[in-house]
Amino acid sequence: DSGVTQTPKHLITATGQRVTLRCSPRSGDLSVYWYQQSLDQGLQFLIQYYNGEERAKGNILERFSAQQFPDLHSELNLSSLELGDSALYFCASSGGSKNIQYFGAGTRLSVL
Amino acid sequence: ILNVEQSPQSLHVQEGDSTNFTCSFPSSNFYALHWYRWETAKSPEALFVMTLNGDEKKKGRISATLNTKEGYSYLYIKGSQPEDSATYLCASRAGDYKLSFGAGTTVTVRA
């Protein structure tokens, strides 16, 4: 168990809908990262938050947004969903100088 | 986005044999190289973080080396066991905070 909790584990929704994925980092970790893994793709970095502030941005679509709350949990909001958004979404957290990232179990999103 | 490449994409190893595979990354503005182990139906788990040229890390039968000047890292598995079957991901970090992951090398150990 990495200590990173993601909910829900599975999400099935329809095109055009909006969903929210939630992540609770390991106790004490200030950084939260979001990744997307689509079929036959590697892990694609989406966005990073550090202590409530956005720190780095990757290939995140404008339809997607994220935030980190004062209690350090984070949410990834996906809107106007398309079939191609179906993927496994991972959250990771880190806290030390080595930036070792600890991954949650992921949320599998299926857009039908 | 850094171009991190791993080869081969997959390999099969007989139990007891040793194997190794490569991660290549841009050497400019290098900060750190991470290796993760990703078992099916689980989440990626950190193996090593290396920062210095010539670094070697070891964890049990798994070890890794780093060459930052030429931009590559090798991961070695000695005496492969079925429980070593997994996808091994490398990720490079440049001067910013992002980790750029390779597509992984999937190792299957045959009993």
Side-chain angles (χ1 to χ4, degrees):
Chain A
D1 182 6
S2 67
V4 178
T5 304
Q6 286 189 249
T7 57
K9 285 195 166 80
H10 303 277
L11 201 48
I12 301 174
T13 188
T15 54
Q17 295 298 306
R18 173 190 169 93
V19 297
T20 297
L21 282 53
R22 184 188 167 100
C23 171
S24 293
R26 289 190 325 153
S27 177
D29 283 356
L30 298 180
S31 283
V32 169
Y33 309 79
W34 286 98
Y35 293 89
Q36 179 193 56
Q37 195 220 0
S38 303
L39 197 63
D40 294 333
Q41 298 277 325
L43 280 172
Q44 298 294 318
F45 170 72
L46 295 178
I47 197 163
Q48 179 202 355
Y49 278 81
Y50 176 81
N51 202 21
E53 300 290 327
E54 182 183 306
R55 176 166 268 192
K57 215 166 185 176
N59 293 329
I60 188 166
L61 300 172
E62 284 191 13
R63 300 183 286 108
F64 296 1
S65 65
Q67 53 185 327
Q68 187 180 27
F69 296 86
D71 67 353
L72 301 177
H73 91 271
S74 178
E75 292 181 356
L76 179 67
N77 301 296
L78 314 176
S79 61
S80 303
L81 284 168
E82 302 175 359
L83 295 176
D85 297 327
S86 295
L88 192 52
Y89 291 84
F90 281 107
C91 165
S93 74
S94 71
S97 59
K98 289 189 175 181
N99 195 36
I100 294 174
Q101 295 186 21
Y102 296 86
F103 283 78
T107 292
R108 183 167 293 283
L109 174 67
S110 298
V111 182
L112 305 179
Chain B
I1 301 294
L2 297 178
N3 190 19
V4 178
E5 296 182 353
Q6 292 186 248
S7 65
Q9 187 177 354
S10 64
L11 61 89
H12 292 79
V13 192
Q14 198 64 35
E15 183 177 356
D17 288 351
S18 297
T19 189
N20 65 84
F21 38 93
T22 311
C23 170
S24 63
F25 54 89
S27 54
S28 60
N29 202 25
F30 172 83
Y31 188 87
L33 193 285
H34 295 228
W35 280 101
Y36 287 83
R37 184 168 178 273
W38 191 0
E39 289 183 73
T40 303
K42 294 187 178 179
S43 50
E45 183 182 340
L47 285 172
F48 307 114
V49 179
M50 296 184 286
T51 55
L52 299 176
N53 185 45
D55 250 356
E56 290 189 27
K57 298 276 185 177
K58 188 174 180 181
K59 190 174 184 177
R61 293 177 292 95
I62 301 177
S63 60
T65 61
L66 179 67
N67 183 322
T68 62
K69 293 183 179 179
E70 295 181 43
Y72 65 84
S73 174
Y74 289 123
L75 192 96
Y76 300 87
I77 304 176
K78 185 178 177 182
S80 303
Q81 298 298 308
E83 58 264 30
D84 296 327
S85 296
T87 295
Y88 292 83
L89 299 170
C90 74
S92 180
R93 180 183 164 190
D96 57 18
Y97 299 97
K98 306 175 202 176
L99 276 185
S100 294
F101 281 84
T105 293
T106 299
V107 175
T108 304
V109 181
R110 296 172 173 146

